[in-house]
Amino acid sequence: MPARLPAEPRVAIVGATGAVGIELIRCLEQRRFPAASVRLLASARSAGKSLSVMGAPVVIEELTEASFQGIDLALFSAGSGISKRFAPAAVRAGAVVVDNSSAFRMLPDVPLVVPEVNAPAMASHQGILANPNCVAAIATVALAPLHRAAPIRRLNMATYQAASGAGAAAMEELRLATAAALAGQDYAPQVLPHPYAFNLFSHNAEMDPLTGYNGEETKVVAETRRILGLPDLPVGITCIRVPVLRAHAMAMQVTFDAPVDVDAARALLATAPGVRLVDDRVRNHFPMPNEASGQDDVLVGRLRVDLGDPSGCTLAMFVVGDQLLKGAALNAVQIAEGLLPAGAA
Ligand SMILES: NC(=O)c1ccc[n+]([C@@H]2O[C@H](COP(=O)([O-])OP(=O)(O)OC[C@H]3O[C@@H](n4cnc5c(N)ncnc54)[C@H](OP(=O)(O)O)[C@@H]3O)[C@@H](O)[C@H]2O)c1
């Protein structure tokens, strides 16, 4: 199993027709990833159709265990069951796997990577590298520059998560449900568990009746701790699905040892990699999903001292990122770029 990729890797995208898969193709194109070839893999439903890659049509093939012969880099985004079943076959065939699912994220020998935060972790990979949960990826891009300057002692967050986080079918459900509501018609939810038009609800991941936390919340807590290298960080969280097509938002309260200097935090974030400061108090202009959609940067703003902590040691902020990009496809391609020989990206 090669530790690094060749200068011009032969790439396979598993789940190429999905919400993340389509963005993986775009990211490879826009970032001029030096792929020698790109193979598109999906289910039998899509086999034979084609998608444009770098200006030329590529026929989609049905994923099988034999799909990875001659592949150097396999980008997986077809769900954790598919990753668990097929990623080992890709590694056996000699490919490096970057996986978007939750299948391997907490395994000790699988690096969980956000390149702006913990790029050195990539070096220890054994053939599979994991892309984090979308909220964890976006949150840690904003938290890491603050944590480098002063250790974070506690984190509270509430998320406002878009339809796109639940895949292409959920985005379509939001469009159809909204059109039906505007036309005064009934719409029975097919993908998400509750009516989505002009509504919001607790995240649709499976709820643990004992703890009262759902699977999304559990993943965000565990992965944020792992990426930041803070295994015992106390994290409070509530994840909510909102009727936004694309880009997740999160309100955070971040506690440090010493009283917060908002101007110093703003200065750190203004130059942090992958961050764009959107913090205009005069115009009431702060991060919004429609301004983050399609953008690589994580938008950070509404910086202020949190009045809920009388010690003054807690910073409140609002963070928005396109989770199909920084929370999935872009981050995966950035990981792959980090595995290229020096000078190849
Ligand atoms: N959406 C996000 O923001 C996000 C963020 C981070 C991670 N992820 C993860 O990325 C993965 C994909 O998410 P998504 O939002 O792109 O989902 P999606 O839009 O529902 O797409 C699913 C993809 O998986 C393919 N697929 C399904 N069953 C398959 C099978 N038996 N064999 C081969 N391919 C199969 C589908 O192909 P067909 O079109 O042929 O059915 C499609 O390409 C999931 O693991 C998700 O947790 C998503």
Side-chain angles (χ1 to χ4, degrees), residues 22 79 88 151 154 201 245 258:
I22 297 290
R154 192 168 66 228
F201 45 86
L245 214 44

Side-chain angles (χ1 to χ4, degrees), residues 15 17-20 42-43 45-46 77-79 82 100-101 164-165 167-168 323-324 327-328:
T17 53
V20 176
S43 75
R45 293 179 290 277
S46 303
S77 70
I82 298 287
N100 270 293
S101 82
S164 51
Q323 94 298 332
L324 289 177

